[in-house]
Amino acid sequence: MALTHNLGFPRIGERRELKQTLEAFWRGDIDDKQLQIKAAELRRHHWILQREAGLDLIPAGDFALYDQMLNMTALLGAAPARFNAGNDEIGLDLYFAMARGTASQPAMEMTKWFDTNYHYIVPEFDAHTRFRIASSQLFREVAEAMALGISPKVVLVGPLTYLYLGKETEPGFNRLDLLTQLLPVYREILARLASLGVEWVQMDEPLLALDLEDDWLSALDHAYAALDGAETKLLLTTYFEAVDNHAARLKKLPVDGLHIDLCRAPDQLDIFLESYPIGKILSLGIIDGRNIWRADLAQALTTLSRAQSTLGERLWIAPSCSLLHCPVDLELETRLDSEIKNWLAFSVQKLQEVSILGQGLNQGQDAIREKLDASTRARQERRESPRNHNPVMQERLQRLTQNDSQRTSPFAVRQVLQQQRFQLPDLPTTTIGSFPQTSEIRQARAAFRKGEIGNLQYLEAMRKEIQLAISKQEEIGLDVFVHGEAERNDMVEYFGEQLCGYAFTENGWVQSYGSRCVKPPILHGDIYRPESMTVDWIQYAQSQTTKPVKGMLTGPVTMLMWSFVRDDQPRSTTALQLALAIRDEVADLERAGIGIIQIDEPAFREGLPLKKAAWNEYLKWAVEAFRVSSSGVKDDTQIHTHMCYSEFNDILPAIADMGADVITIETSRSRMELLDGFGEFKYPNEIGPGVYDIHSPRIPETGEMLELLEKACKVINPKQLWVNPDCGLKTRSWPEVVTALERMVEAARQLRAQINISQTETISA
Ligand code: GLN
Ligand code: ZN
């Protein structure tokens, strides 16, 4: 009998109940008891959903009030010393203090979970880190499941991944040195789980998807040898990438089973099937946990049958990874077009697919004939649907040539022409795009959506906001203006809604971090832009001032990364289609007289594959897509781009290759560490390293910004330098924004004066 199971269920709730509960608790509207009751209700509901889907083995321990890594930190008693945890149980207060900070202690750092849009809380390690079981939450949750009649498989982040994803807070310290004292605590946890009646523990070790150094690989052998003989069985679980390079090693590990991801890496099956150890389970992740398409059940069944003929009873079936990265239930989508809905599967539907496949394997194809046929039909309808195909765009893709990703003249020529046209001072000042999204703005947008106000009224409301933004920028004395993005609630959704090939859900939420969720739009078909998307707004803004106003667009790579993307063609093709749509928008803006156009690519780095060997291929098509979107303009039209993360030294050449005339980037949080990279690699075009952190309510003094700029001047020619904040200002308030920008403009003035003096000195010398 092939057994069906799940690796993890989304915990945010089908209507984001966890979000509301958490935020109510943080506001003080409910107390900790009420929070715990609500959380337990959610867990119970999710367990029941999974049982109803027909799974054999249901996970516990996959729930978290904030984050699964933080749960491990609490369970293992690894709260950083600065939180003064003492020897007590780590309760809610400390748990949330670590996640969100307190008046006296900053929160623990947060970073992306592999290549997903989920962010985990980064463990902090130093030589004094000690482990102990410091939270009984997990054991309580197991008991809850048992009380429901569910004998759960318990999910833990494995010891290697837990250490690997943490950071050392003490120079010279190696976190791997903590393994020896970590393992006994894992053993203790396993023993306690066994005493509760738990048979299986899923040890998540996704670190195996990364390029691993040898010491980590030997540590893996060491760790699982030390866990050998534990009172529970262990399923070593990998996902997000192929682990076939470690196949021999993994087969040898003294664990009771392995899970591999066949959606990201279908080809790795054969190597695992080859002389797979007797007595070891192989769990195949055959249903895609990272996307929302309905599976091709017939094809999956063929793969599974092949595996079954080798594995027999040792075969398990599951989604590729935890369903944390998928929305909860498609049934809640009442407004989604029924044709499109039929192509999709959210978490609940994916578990039904897993269970159908199990039935097919165990009882024969005939038992699931109807469901197989329905799945094949849905795939076929999707393939053939006219709404997914646009001959015009396909033909344009065919006709793309090298020239389409080439500006007319090299940057040096363009720079002179642009300087003549815009006559900007040295160190020009600008902002990244959005201005405060006040409650009036949000109310107006919501009223418009609900049909409570008409077109004209909405237009008036937004124009008033644009006027306000322009007049504030005049007062502050910036050099290059923006319109403020009042009409956009989300930089991807805004464009997606105006493009053919995109669909939107009502409840398709996915947890991003803590109580925060995103609702990625669904990119299902060929992208086509029926009409201009931004020109009216920008043109209106430009009509209010003599300063240049930037046209503001979202780039093709970011559109792709922040959507659920079609899986029936390479992502590179989809990126090019998006690029063409944006290219047309750029052309319309240019025609309307807009001379500076910014194409944001904040998600550019996110697309980097987990394994370095695949980086070049990605960078090649991602850069190409950006170039296609931005190269169709005259030399004296200035293309800007914006990226907001600080680690990009390793991809600087690719970023230079994008060819934007100006790039603005985040640097202030790292106090311009980024600029280290510019010592070795001379960035050829103009660049605006953010001089203050918009994420923090703290407004730095003029002197601080000046200091950062002076630092930048040491590695970047001042003639190439722009002055701007880190990112868009939509989350800030107007008073904060005005003060911060006034100081920023003043810092630029002071630096200009300094540079002038030093130039005069050189000339007279
Ligand atoms: N132009 C966008 C803004 O200012 C950029 C947002 C981003 O970088 N994520 O809001
Ligand atoms: Zn940004």
Side-chain angles (χ1 to χ4, degrees), residues 553-627:
L553 305 173
T554 302
V557 182
T558 298
M559 292 291 295
L560 190 82
M561 290 307 154
W562 290 350
S563 306
F564 282 121
V565 178
R566 62 193 292 186
D567 60 354
D568 57 351
Q569 68 182 18
R571 286 193 313 159
S572 53
T573 309
T574 309
L576 277 182
Q577 291 188 353
L578 287 161
L580 281 173
I582 295 157
R583 180 185 177 94
D584 293 348
E585 187 70 16
V586 170
D588 280 353
L589 284 166
E590 186 181 57
R591 217 169 294 129
I594 303 302
I596 305 185
I597 299 164
Q598 178 172 315
I599 307 174
D600 289 327
E601 284 291 19
F604 191 85
R605 193 181 200 286
E606 252 175 72
L608 273 182
L610 293 175
K611 292 209 162 96
K612 259 210 159 118
W615 279 22
N616 270 339
E617 196 213 318
Y618 163 75
L619 288 171
K620 196 161 167 262
W621 64 253
V623 168
E624 169 77 5
F626 182 84
R627 292 183 67 111

Side-chain angles (χ1 to χ4, degrees), residues 432 602 642-645 666 695 726-728:
I432 305 304
H642 164 71
M643 297 182 177
C644 37
Y645 37 79
E666 173 180 321
H695 305 88
D726 241 17
C727 194

Side-chain angles (χ1 to χ4, degrees), residues 3 57 152-156 186-187 189-191 193-195 197-204 224 227-237 253-258 279-281 313-314 316:
L3 188 140
L57 209 44
K153 173 190 59 172
V154 172
V155 185
L156 295 176
Y186 266 86
R187 279 208 75 136
I189 295 168
L190 297 177
L193 290 172
S195 74
V198 171
E199 186 188 359
W200 277 97
V201 170
Q202 169 186 320
M203 283 287 200
D204 280 4
Y224 284 88
L227 296 178
D228 190 16
E231 291 83 342
T232 66
K233 294 180 181 160
L234 298 184
L235 179 73
L236 185 103
T237 302
L253 279 190
V255 292
D256 305 277
L258 299 176
K280 201 177 260 185
I281 299 296
E313 299 284 296
R314 291 170 295 160
W316 284 13

Side-chain angles (χ1 to χ4, degrees), residues 127-195:
H128 302 287
T129 304
R130 293 291 171 272
F131 302 104
R132 65 186 168 97
I133 296 182
S135 161
S136 40
Q137 182 60 29
L138 174 69
F139 310 107
R140 280 197 295 272
E141 291 179 16
V142 169
E144 280 172 19
M146 298 275 188
L148 256 189
I150 288 172
S151 176
K153 173 190 59 172
V154 172
V155 185
L156 295 176
V157 178
L160 269 296
T161 299
Y162 180 70
L163 287 181
Y164 192 87
L165 296 181
K167 63 167 191 182
E168 290 118 0
T169 52
E170 186 181 323
F173 179 69
N174 181 359
R175 61 200 189 283
L176 196 47
D177 292 345
L178 294 172
L179 186 63
T180 329
Q181 50 136 329
L182 177 60
L183 292 170
V185 183
Y186 266 86
R187 279 208 75 136
E188 223 181 295
I189 295 168
L190 297 177
R192 241 172 107 171
L193 290 172
S195 74

Side-chain angles (χ1 to χ4, degrees), residues 696-762:
S696 152
R698 198 183 76 91
I699 305 172
E701 296 297 330
T702 308
E704 259 176 78
M705 300 198 229
L706 183 63
E707 209 180 289
L708 287 180
L709 281 169
E710 286 167 343
K711 226 170 138 185
C713 279
K714 296 220 166 75
V715 282
I716 297 170
N717 179 349
K719 289 277 171 208
Q720 283 173 272
L721 211 54
W722 284 64
V723 179
N724 46 264
D726 241 17
C727 194
L729 299 162
K730 71 173 175 193
T731 56
R732 303 261 66 98
S733 70
W734 268 115
E736 283 173 299
V737 163
V738 170
T739 312
L741 292 178
E742 277 171 356
R743 290 180 189 172
M744 184 187 88
V745 166
E746 176 55 25
R749 280 197 193 116
Q750 292 184 13
L751 189 58
R752 275 177 210 147
Q754 279 183 32
I755 291 173
N756 280 338
I757 293 167
S758 73
Q759 272 169 353
T760 338
E761 279 168 359
T762 3

